[in-house]
Amino acid sequence: MQSTRPHVIVLTGGPCAGKTTLLTRLEQLKVIAGHELLFVPEAATILVSRGLVIGQDVVHFQTETMRLQLQLEREAIQKAQDLDHPCAIICDRGTLDGAGYCSAQEFDAIAAEFKEERSTLAARYGLVIHLVSAAVEAPEAYTLDNNTARIETLEEAIAQEHRTLQAWATHPNRRIIGCPNSFEKKLDDAIECIAQFLR
């Protein structure tokens, strides 16, 4: 049984950044740098699949997203601590992503509801991997086809990319990864970044 808190890593980025493909690649690897990988799915996508509508009430949706995100992370951390070998938790987005979808005042009020501040939310994660959206670096590749929760036009996706960057701007260990000429290299760079962090 692990006595210390496991490493928690966030994958984030604007719409159509490659998170889903990277997660699939990580799931296939199963282990990086001697750490078994455990996964926390994207809370917002789960809520949408359950019928919660994003556009009706942004504050309500982001509140429920944070509630589910915190619950899923707690469960993953407990599972990791119950194991007798090193683990790393990979989160498909994190709690601070919500700051990119509502005003600063709204997000701070949501965080306060859970007795959190931006600094304590950021401290939950040891590493943040921000994948640059295809909308920014390869607009011709931007698509809505591979995520039922994605609704942004190209212009909206570019704006969301910048809001997501801002949401995580103060995290001390954020890595921004893009590669407009080779998606495979983008994935390889992200995986190597995670491996370096875990070594």
Side-chain angles (χ1 to χ4, degrees):
M1 181 179 295
Q2 292 192 84
S3 58
T4 58
R5 191 176 190 273
H7 295 294
V8 183
I9 299 166
V10 172
L11 304 184
T12 188
C16 197
K19 287 191 303 92
T20 301
T21 306
L22 177 57
L23 282 162
T24 299
R25 189 75 56 86
L26 292 170
E27 288 167 357
Q28 292 168 346
L29 288 172
K30 296 183 175 63
V31 175
I32 292 182
H35 290 70
E36 179 185 353
L37 302 181
L38 305 177
F39 297 89
V40 172
E42 185 176 12
T45 298
I46 292 173
L47 292 174
V48 169
S49 71
R50 294 176 181 174
L52 192 61
V53 179
I54 297 175
Q56 287 183 340
D57 183 336
V58 171
V59 171
H60 175 65
F61 186 85
Q62 292 304 327
T63 300
E64 293 309 307
T65 298
M66 186 176 292
R67 188 188 316 280
L68 180 56
Q69 181 75 34
L70 292 169
Q71 175 191 334
L72 292 170
E73 288 180 13
R74 282 193 300 268
E75 291 171 356
I77 290 168
Q78 185 59 60
K79 179 178 179 181
Q81 290 177 327
D82 288 344
L83 297 173
D84 61 358
H85 53 266
C87 296
I89 296 167
I90 308 291
C91 297
D92 185 352
R93 298 201 180 278
T95 51
L96 281 176
D97 273 286
Y101 292 87
C102 56
S103 72
Q105 293 80 6
E106 288 170 336
F107 183 80
D108 290 340
I110 292 167
E113 185 171 329
F114 298 96
K115 297 180 172 56
E116 298 279 3
E117 298 177 353
R118 293 186 192 227
S119 59
T120 60
L121 291 172
R124 300 174 65 82
Y125 313 105
L127 173 67
V128 176
I129 300 284
H130 180 106
L131 300 176
V132 178
S133 171
V136 172
E137 64 179 12
E140 69 283 356
Y142 181 72
T143 180
L144 303 178
D145 294 341
N146 61 349
N147 187 332
T148 57
R150 185 180 304 139
I151 57 174
E152 298 89 351
T153 65
L154 179 65
E155 293 74 19
E156 289 169 341
I158 292 170
Q160 189 58 57
E161 165 78 9
H162 294 304
R163 287 194 295 269
T164 302
L165 280 168
Q166 185 60 37
W168 291 95
T170 60
H171 195 281
N173 196 23
R174 179 179 64 168
R175 301 292 181 266
I176 299 172
I177 298 178
C179 190
N181 299 319
S182 172
F183 184 63
E184 285 301 314
K185 186 175 188 307
K186 184 179 186 179
L187 298 178
D188 290 343
D189 287 349
I191 292 169
E192 178 57 26
C193 188
I194 292 170
Q196 288 179 1
F197 172 70
L198 294 176
R199 287 187 185 119

